[in-house]
Each structure stands twice: as C-alpha cells, then as structure tokens.
Amino acid sequence: MIPEKIIRIGSGAGYSGDRIEPAVDLIKEGNLDYIIFECLAERTIALAQLQKMQDPELGYDPLLEERMKACLTHCVSKKVKLISNMGAANPLAAAKKTATIAQELGLTNLKIAAVFGDDVMPMLDFSTQTFLESGEPLSVLGNKIISANAYMGVEGILIALEEGADIILTGRVADPSLFLAPLIHEFDWSMNDYPLLGKGTVLGHLMECAGQVCGGYFADGVKKQVQNLGNLGYPIAEIKNDGSFHITKLKDSGGMVTPATCKEQLLYEVHDPSAYLTPDVVADFSNITLKEIEKDKVEVYGASGKTLTGKLKVSVGYHDGYMAEAQISYGGSYALERGQLAIEIVKERLEARNLVVEDILFDLIGINSLFKEYNSDINPQEVRLRVAAKTKTKEAAVKLVNEVETLYTNGPAAGGGISKLVTEVIAIQSILIDKKKVVPQVEYFES
C-alpha cells in the first residue's frame, strides 16, 4: 500500500518584527516541507512604499536580510521551501537581495521567485470608487495617496512552485493564501473545489500569526497559564490530501497548542464566521470542531468554503497629518493630583497659543489610558501623563510636544522622564476592485 501523502508546514513569523529563533528551530527540527513567514500588516506596505520612493532598492521587510542569513542554510540542508510576503512594496529587490545573501553563504543553484502585480495605483478610478470604511470617494484624498495594493491570492505563488522555485517572495498576498498555495500545489487541488480551499484557508488563518496559536497573546498569568513563554515555539501543521489537518509544535519548545489557543486565533479578525472573504474562496468557519488528540496536538475539522465574490480588497495608504506624543512622570505624594494639574496647565497653554489640533487625548497611564472611568479611591505612588494629538502640520505637532516638555520647570513639582515623538500618520482605507484586473507576475533570480 502506498502511504498517504502528508505535508508539514511551519509558521516562521506572524508580523514583520517577529522573533527569528523559533523559525530557525522549526526548520532544523520540524521535518518541514515548507516554512511560511507572514510579515505584512495593513499599514506596513504603505510605509514600505515610502522607503521605495526614497531608495528603489528598498521597500521590502526590514528583517528580510537577518531572517535569510539565519534560515537559508538550514532550508537548503533540510530541503525546506520558503514562502513569504516579505517582498512588501518591492518583491523584486527582496528577491535580488536574497540571491546575493545566498551567494555569500555559499548556497548555489537556488531559484528565488519574486511575485508581484498587487500594486494597482494605475487602476484607481477617482470618479467612481468609494472607500468601504467612510463611504467617501477617492477624490477627497487628492494627491495624498501613497500606495494601493490589492490582496492577491494563490495564483502567483502557484506559478512559482510549478516552475521549481525554492524561495518565493511576494508583495501583498492574503495571509491564508501563503499557506493554501503549497497545499494546492502538492495535492493538485482544483481551484474550483471550494470546500477543500476553505479547509486550507482555515489552516492558513490558524497559522498566520505564528506564536499566537501556541499560547502567545493568550496567557493572563492567572486563569490562563502558559508554561515557558520565554521559549515560546511556533506552530506546525500536518495536512492530508483530503484537507484534514492538525496543529502542533516542537516538543521542547515553550507554550502550548490547545483547543482554547486555537479558538482564540480562529476568531481573530473574523466578522462573519460563515463567510470569511479571501481572494481564493469564501471560507466557512461556522461548523469547525477542535479536538485535542494528544498533548499539544489539536485536530481541526468541519471547515468548508463557497464560491468567490469576484472582487479583491485593496488597501489604500495615504498621508493623514502628524501624530504628536509627549509624556512625563510624577511619583510620590500626590502623584495623581500633580498629573491632573499638569493636564489643566497644558490645556490652558495650548488654548492661549491658539494651537489647532484635529484630535487630542490626555491620559494618565495606569489610571485611565485604557479605561476612561477609574476608581477615585485609587492613590497611586506614580502616574505618567501622556498627551497625544493629531495635527495637520508637522510644525503644530512639534509645538505641542515642546509645550508639554516645559512642564519640567513650568509645571507641578518633580516631573521627570520626559519623552517626545512626532511622526507622520499613514492612514489606511479600503476599496474593492475586479479580481480579473489584477494579474500576478513572477520573475526569477538564481544564486
């Protein structure tokens, strides 16, 4: 009897700045076929586009070089294929840089694919397209738009896999699609078999945040205890041809994989569990069952899927003013009262200077920065005042943080630990675009 084919996929990152060591451990010890690095958040690609405008050789993930230097040698020795959206706004430059790193490591004959085509700036229609969030037309932004990237699906990755790529670096691709593509490739699933595609999408959704499904972002230190979080491991999925799968981790890694950790990740960023919209399928999570089959091994079944919508989501990034933030601490007797007095002083001085802001917050961290209502009986030994405002100009933002700094010698007693920060605000809204208009492209580099 021919043994049933099983594919093992590891998740190597859940966001751009994620830890690298657990990914290396997975590649070395996980008996993987694929390692996936999911590194693009909503605003990340707009920020990367700004970098690319300043330097055409940049615009990819800032940790790409460090990750590749740590992982490539092990990927080659263990025959693990690497797929990632670390290409961000510049997959071509990312692939070129990866080929250079491979050569420096003495790794020859690696085929590195750049998957792009997600940049749809030329397709924007300012006269007809409106934002999903605000309902406003694109035209209200004028020349403020920085980027417009469609969430592509599996198609470009599939082309690269079929043509023998060892490493695949994409721009904006839907997170679950990074995991679904190798399953379609390995098991020869039909692109019209929506129940199967739904199962693979659920797997991708569970895996996309890496350590989160292994107990990261789960522990509360009291009722939900997670052991050895300092050595938190990343997840491994074992998948069969029929789409059945389980989630596990390396035995000697920290954290845990349980039905509870999987449920929390399953509900992450889900609006309608029966209709989770992706470029590849409308996945149905509503009948999923999670079963612990042994310690740190959870079987997932009951997922399905339905036909596509024919539309792709496009994230539009644009300039939206500046953020001003300044902080100062008060400790000891009457710390809370001094913090409250400082707020009143800043308000009075901003009004006297006629400093215009679009929005402003005054928080006492530890008292009301997360919950605006607080127990008036609290008598803290220390408070930290945070003033944060949104302004139209950088000049106004600088004036505001400098005004908070004057509390040092022009405010309540014994303030200290001033910090000031002025940053440009890159905002994101979404539109929909016809999927047929977005055609993935693939280019290759050899090491």
Side-chain angles (χ1 to χ4, degrees):
M1 177 182 290
I2 300 174
E4 185 174 19
K5 187 175 183 178
I6 295 175
I7 299 299
R8 285 173 65 90
I9 298 178
S11 178
Y15 74 103
S16 175
D18 217 341
R19 297 164 61 231
I20 297 175
E21 294 81 3
V24 175
D25 291 340
L26 280 188
I27 298 167
K28 291 167 61 177
E29 304 171 24
N31 192 26
L32 302 180
D33 298 290
Y34 294 88
I35 182 86
I36 314 294
F37 291 86
E38 195 292 290
C39 297
L40 275 183
E42 287 287 322
R43 269 193 297 252
T44 312
I45 203 160
L47 298 172
Q49 189 66 45
L50 285 176
Q51 288 184 320
K52 184 181 177 182
M53 290 175 182
Q54 296 167 2
D55 185 340
E57 294 301 314
L58 295 178
Y60 51 79
D61 187 273
L63 287 183
L64 178 133
E65 294 180 43
E66 187 175 349
R67 284 197 173 98
M68 292 303 178
K69 288 176 182 177
C71 296
L72 282 186
T73 300
H74 302 298
C75 283
V76 171
S77 67
K78 297 293 184 178
K79 298 181 179 179
V80 177
K81 289 183 180 286
L82 187 156
I83 301 173
S84 177
N85 53 15
M86 283 190 283
N90 204 344
L92 287 166
K96 181 180 177 182
K97 173 59 70 173
T98 300
T100 299
I101 292 170
Q103 291 166 359
E104 291 171 352
L105 294 172
L107 305 173
T108 58
N109 300 318
L110 280 182
K111 190 171 187 178
I112 302 158
V115 177
F116 53 104
D118 56 301
D119 186 347
V120 296
M121 281 279 281
M123 301 181 198
L124 295 183
D125 185 343
F126 287 85
S127 62
T128 63
Q129 290 173 323
T130 58
F131 287 118
L132 299 176
E133 293 84 356
S134 67
E136 294 179 318
L138 265 70
S139 56
V140 301
L141 295 181
N143 62 357
K144 293 181 179 179
I145 294 178
I146 301 166
S147 63
N149 293 85
Y151 282 77
M152 297 195 302
V154 299
E155 290 87 353
I157 301 173
L158 286 177
I159 293 170
L161 288 172
E162 289 161 6
E163 295 184 353
D166 302 295
I167 300 162
I168 302 172
L169 296 170
T170 77
R172 174 61 79 190
V173 167
D175 299 351
S177 302
L178 298 168
F179 296 83
L180 177 61
L183 302 182
I184 296 171
H185 173 72
E186 293 287 346
F187 296 128
D188 196 26
W189 287 351
S190 166
M191 291 297 294
N192 297 317
D193 193 333
Y194 299 116
L196 267 183
L197 299 182
K199 292 177 181 178
T201 297
V202 168
L203 178 147
H205 181 70
L206 283 168
M207 295 282 285
E208 69 186 44
C209 292
Q212 201 160 299
V213 80
C214 293
Y217 206 72
F218 178 83
D220 63 12
V222 181
K223 292 185 177 180
K224 297 194 298 182
Q225 298 280 358
V226 179
Q227 299 300 313
N228 197 12
L229 268 175
N231 186 37
L232 180 69
Y234 288 172
I236 300 167
E238 278 198 2
I239 313 98
K240 297 180 181 178
N241 182 64
D242 63 0
S244 61
F245 68 91
H246 66 255
I247 307 288
T248 186
K249 68 179 190 67
L250 295 177
K251 288 185 177 181
D252 59 352
S253 65
M256 63 186 189
V257 179
T258 69
T261 64
C262 291
K263 285 176 184 177
E264 288 202 7
Q265 174 60 28
L266 188 66
L267 295 173
Y268 172 73
E269 293 184 337
V270 172
H271 296 99
D272 182 353
S274 67
Y276 183 70
L277 306 179
T278 81
D280 308 303
V281 65
V282 176
D284 185 351
F285 295 9
S286 61
N287 293 303
I288 286 177
T289 297
L290 302 162
K291 181 182 178 182
E292 188 170 31
I293 53 180
E294 61 181 75
K295 186 177 186 299
D296 293 323
K297 185 177 288 188
V298 174
E299 185 179 19
V300 183
Y301 55 93
S304 189
K306 295 169 280 192
T307 187
L308 307 175
T309 65
K311 300 288 185 181
L312 295 181
K313 176 183 173 182
V314 176
S315 283
V316 179
Y318 57 95
H319 297 283
D320 195 28
Y322 292 84
M323 176 68 70
E325 181 184 13
Q327 300 182 21
I328 186 171
S329 293
Y330 296 95
S333 301
Y334 309 116
L336 177 57
E337 289 79 4
R338 281 180 284 142
Q340 292 168 331
L341 177 57
I343 290 174
E344 297 308 314
I345 292 170
V346 173
K347 286 181 178 179
E348 181 180 344
R349 290 177 180 163
L350 293 181
E351 184 177 353
R353 295 188 65 177
N354 196 29
L355 191 59
V356 178
V357 299
E358 294 185 6
D359 195 11
I360 191 165
L361 285 174
F362 297 88
D363 297 329
L364 292 171
I365 296 172
I367 303 296
N368 66 352
S369 61
L370 295 179
F371 303 97
K372 294 307 171 186
E373 301 297 327
Y374 66 94
N375 185 348
S376 59
D377 295 330
I378 292 176
N379 185 26
Q381 289 186 309
E382 60 183 63
V383 297
R384 185 159 178 83
L385 168 62
R386 174 181 179 266
V387 182
K390 185 170 179 286
T391 65
K392 288 185 177 180
T393 67
K394 186 176 182 179
E395 180 185 19
V398 171
K399 286 180 178 179
L400 187 143
V401 298
N402 286 344
E403 192 61 65
V404 176
E405 183 183 34
T406 66
L407 289 169
Y408 254 147
T409 56
N410 297 267
I418 280 277
S419 65
K420 300 188 300 180
L421 182 65
V422 172
T423 54
E424 185 176 10
V425 176
I426 305 300
I428 291 286
Q429 289 200 68
S430 308
I431 61 171
L432 296 177
I433 194 170
D434 187 344
K435 182 176 180 177
K436 293 178 181 177
K437 293 182 178 180
V438 182
V439 180
Q441 300 175 60
V442 185
E443 286 193 23
Y444 298 98
F445 297 82
E446 300 280 346
S447 68

